[in-house]
Amino acid sequence: MGKMGLRCLVFAVLVLWSFSSMVKGEDDYKYFTWTATYGTASPLGVPQQVILINGQFPGPRLDLVTNDNVILNLINKLDQPLLLTWNGIKQRKNSWQDGVFGTNCPIPPNTNYTYKFQTKDQIGSYTYFPSTFMQKAAGGFGALNVYARSVIPVPYPKPAGDFSLLVGDWYKTSHTALQQILDSGKSLPFPDALLINGQSQSSFSVNQGNTYMFRISNVGLSTSINFRIQGHKMKLVEVEGSHVVQNMYDTLDVHVGQSVSVLVTLDQPPKDYLIIASTRFTGNVLNSTSVLHYINSVSPVSGPIPDAPAGQFDWSIVQARTFRWNLTANAARPNPQGSFHYGKITPSMTIVLANSAPIIGGKQRYAVNRVSHIDPDTPLKLADYFNITGVFSLTAIQSSPSDGTPSLATAVLPTSLHQFIEIVFQNDEDTMQSWHLDGYDFWVVGFGLGKWTGASRESYNLVDALTRHTTQVYPKSWSAILVSLDNQGMWNLRSAIWERRYLGQQLYLRVYNPIQNFANEYDIPNNALLCGRAVGRRH
């Protein structure tokens, strides 16, 4: 080889090395070892048992970057099986890591399981929590934040600080006692309190004149919240992975399972101010207050607690319609290449899901289209992979409401990979509902009163509707979403209100492709736990 050829070869090697180094730098591997144990905390002034992750309540904040590869070894030291689910993380081609009964065998006590997933093409504020039994009522939850890669700009200056606020209703009663109440056929009582970051009161220190990010997540079991900061405006900048039109708000409704991110500029006189979260749409209003402490504060908190909006449902619907997608922001989001616009596609399927609260066998249950879901002895994902018959049927639940007697069944709806579908959540009850779809975000295109009909589509926002993973459904109302089924797998569609989910208000979307292709879905992990009728199967 001549000198010129050698130089070309060296140059090519250097270019490839440089490129691979950049790729490696952008797609880092992050390793974690977490241990779940019981511990004692006193969030309401009385010692009670809680679930700790690495000794922390709430659990550790998981800070990641777009496209990070996460290797997380979870050691279960509880006396019950355990799964963590990553609320809002899309798990691209990887429902094996979803962390719910339908996809994973629970981790038995005194054993471990290593989750392996990537935050592919995502940014935003998310959470994690136990999906097994009623463990969420005892803790085990935490914040999961995905930051944009350095090469992708965000549509606001870098804030001076970044706070995660986990807000949720709380019981003095243990999670096992709450489970016994539900198992006996009764509903849960009203919560005892509302907590922020597992405390009845906390403090956040800030510098006057600076702007801070506040990530607010509703990690509760049942109640919507209203969030506000005394004397300060909030600029909404991100909702569950989508940059939004940056409107200013005095107060924000955040429903069960939802997360929002706001920027707050500390432009008030130097004193302490209240941070307030209140239960919404409840007869008995619970308040939780924390302190926004200016570091140069000259006086403590003073004045009454600012009230939540009095308009209730009408006010909340109006606000929800102001949450709009920022179409000019360059960030990780659905369809980042702009190959299609959601509003110009005709859905190939419409699914209408009507929730109800029937009594079945003398016990309180919750249902969708007359079916109250029960988990089988074998995770649906394993049954599908190993072709185990008799675990579920694709005809157990219908894709639209019908008359008849409610029943218990394993609810799975068949769909196909690359379908573009419309899902309508019909709420004929007097209570607030909240629905979440694992593995996806979706366009929330409409809210409306009464019964949904085909004519309701005339009110849809087909221009800049927000994408998110959880949507509220107001009483005696409907909410409509559009979903691009680009993520093969078995995905949990559930009520985010945990009593309802535990007692059957959930189902699974089987997003199916008959041809096994690793470009569409990863193979079963080597460390997959096997249980039920999958025990002894080889993979």
Side-chain angles (χ1 to χ4, degrees):
M1 179 183 296
K3 288 184 179 180
M4 182 61 71
L6 181 60
R7 287 174 182 170
C8 290
L9 178 61
V10 170
F11 177 78
V13 170
L14 288 174
V15 168
L16 287 173
W17 176 85
S18 176
F19 178 76
S20 64
S21 297
M22 287 190 293
V23 171
K24 182 178 180 182
E26 293 295 344
D27 294 344
D28 285 346
Y29 278 78
K30 302 288 181 65
Y31 296 88
F32 305 91
T33 297
W34 285 3
T35 302
T37 60
Y38 289 120
T40 301
S42 303
L44 302 182
V46 178
Q48 65 180 112
Q49 186 186 71
V50 296
I51 294 175
L52 309 174
I53 304 290
N54 284 1
Q56 299 180 44
F57 169 73
R61 180 170 130 171
L62 190 57
D63 285 336
L64 304 170
V65 174
T66 303
N67 289 355
D68 273 353
N69 295 282
V70 178
I71 311 296
L72 191 148
N73 181 29
L74 179 61
I75 303 169
N76 179 17
K77 291 294 184 180
L78 307 180
D79 59 359
Q80 291 181 320
L82 172 67
L83 284 172
L84 290 184
T85 190
W86 317 96
N87 199 48
I89 298 300
K90 289 195 277 286
Q91 303 286 6
R92 288 291 185 194
K93 303 184 290 185
N94 201 16
S95 66
W96 298 107
Q97 309 294 333
D98 199 25
V100 293
F101 272 130
T103 55
N104 297 102
C105 298
I107 307 166
N110 297 313
T111 62
N112 72 296
Y113 176 74
T114 300
Y115 290 91
K116 300 175 183 178
F117 62 88
Q118 186 180 25
T119 54
K120 182 68 173 173
D121 295 334
Q122 287 186 265
I123 55 98
S125 305
Y126 307 97
T127 58
Y128 63 86
F129 57 82
S131 69
T132 30
F133 309 111
M134 288 296 293
Q135 292 164 353
K136 186 182 180 186
F141 51 75
L144 195 168
N145 301 327
V146 184
Y147 296 88
R149 293 179 295 163
S150 58
V151 296
I152 297 180
V154 294
Y156 49 82
K158 183 177 180 181
D162 193 315
F163 300 108
S164 292
L165 284 72
L166 303 172
V167 186
D169 45 32
W170 189 256
Y171 289 88
K172 296 177 183 177
T173 307
S174 71
H175 71 286
T176 52
L178 293 175
Q179 182 177 328
Q180 289 171 358
I181 292 172
L182 295 178
D183 290 342
S184 70
K186 300 177 182 178
S187 296
L188 294 181
F190 189 71
D192 295 307
L194 198 63
L195 302 180
I196 298 177
N197 288 348
Q199 303 176 64
S200 57
Q201 187 172 82
S202 53
S203 181
F204 301 87
S205 295
V206 293
N207 282 305
Q208 187 181 25
N210 287 344
T211 298
Y212 293 82
M213 174 81 80
F214 287 82
R215 301 172 184 267
I216 305 129
S217 297
N218 187 333
V219 296
L221 297 179
S222 62
T223 55
S224 299
I225 64 163
N226 181 264
F227 183 88
R228 52 212 184 271
I229 301 178
Q230 184 183 30
H232 292 76
K233 299 275 188 184
M234 298 178 290
K235 180 186 288 186
L236 186 67
V237 295
E238 179 261 328
V239 174
E240 296 166 15
S242 286
H243 288 142
V244 297
V245 174
Q246 296 180 7
N247 295 322
M248 303 295 294
Y249 297 90
D250 295 312
T251 175
L252 285 166
D253 279 355
V254 186
H255 306 281
V256 181
Q258 295 184 345
S259 298
V260 300
S261 297
V262 299
L263 293 177
V264 179
T265 298
L266 283 303
D267 55 3
Q268 297 300 303
K271 61 183 292 290
D272 290 353
Y273 297 86
L274 287 171
I275 297 174
I276 310 103
S278 303
T279 56
R280 200 80 161 103
F281 321 125
T282 55
N284 180 22
V285 177
L286 301 174
N287 292 309
S288 180
T289 59
S290 293
V291 175
L292 184 69
H293 171 66
Y294 278 53
I295 290 175
N296 59 339
S297 173
V298 295
S299 62
V301 166
S302 61
I305 295 177
D307 291 330
Q312 294 289 312
F313 297 117
D314 291 344
W315 182 94
S316 187
I317 291 175
V318 170
Q319 181 181 82
R321 288 174 176 154
T322 68
F323 292 4
R324 291 158 41 229
W325 209 9
N326 184 343
L327 299 178
T328 64
N330 180 19
R333 62 186 188 186
N335 185 31
Q337 290 79 30
S339 58
F340 68 87
H341 186 281
Y342 76 93
K344 298 184 182 301
I345 299 176
T346 301
S348 61
M349 170 189 286
T350 295
I351 297 171
V352 180
L353 302 174
N355 57 273
S356 59
I359 303 297
I360 301 177
K363 294 184 177 182
Q364 178 67 67
R365 297 287 300 186
Y366 298 96
V368 189
N369 290 359
R370 295 190 295 106
V371 174
S372 185
H373 177 85
I374 52 174
D375 287 308
D377 60 0
T378 306
L380 304 170
K381 185 66 183 170
L382 290 178
D384 218 9
Y385 180 81
F386 289 117
N387 294 315
I388 302 172
T389 60
V391 174
F392 68 91
S393 166
L394 294 176
T395 60
I397 184 172
Q398 297 178 335
S399 60
S400 60
S402 60
D403 295 331
T405 303
S407 62
L408 302 175
T410 300
V412 180
L413 274 176
T415 60
S416 297
L417 184 65
H418 302 309
Q419 271 189 296
F420 189 83
I421 69 172
E422 175 185 42
I423 301 178
V424 178
F425 300 102
Q426 179 67 54
N427 179 14
D428 296 325
E429 299 181 66
D430 292 323
T431 59
M432 192 76 186
Q433 304 296 318
S434 186
W435 281 88
H436 170 85
L437 175 57
D438 278 355
Y440 284 90
D441 46 16
F442 44 69
W443 289 271
V444 183
V445 292
F447 306 99
L449 298 175
K451 289 280 191 182
W452 179 89
T453 67
S456 303
R457 296 188 179 104
E458 296 176 6
S459 67
Y460 284 5
N461 176 359
L462 298 179
V463 177
D464 58 357
L466 181 65
T467 62
R468 61 189 314 167
H469 56 69
T470 304
T471 186
Q472 69 272 27
V473 192
Y474 295 94
K476 302 292 185 181
S477 300
W478 56 265
S479 296
I481 67 174
L482 299 178
V483 190
S484 177
L485 297 181
D486 59 355
N487 199 8
Q488 187 170 325
M490 189 76 73
W491 300 106
N492 192 212
L493 178 58
R494 61 174 176 266
S495 173
I497 297 172
W498 211 247
E499 171 181 336
R500 287 177 168 266
R501 194 258 186 181
Y502 181 80
L503 292 180
Q505 205 158 83
Q506 59 170 314
L507 57 98
Y508 285 82
L509 288 185
R510 184 192 191 224
V511 181
Y512 185 65
N513 184 351
I515 301 174
Q516 181 63 36
N517 186 335
F518 293 159
N520 294 332
E521 184 178 28
Y522 300 141
D523 199 7
I524 185 172
N526 292 331
N527 67 332
L529 300 176
L530 302 182
C531 56
R533 282 177 263 180
V535 170
R537 305 274 178 153
R538 299 185 64 181
H539 62 281

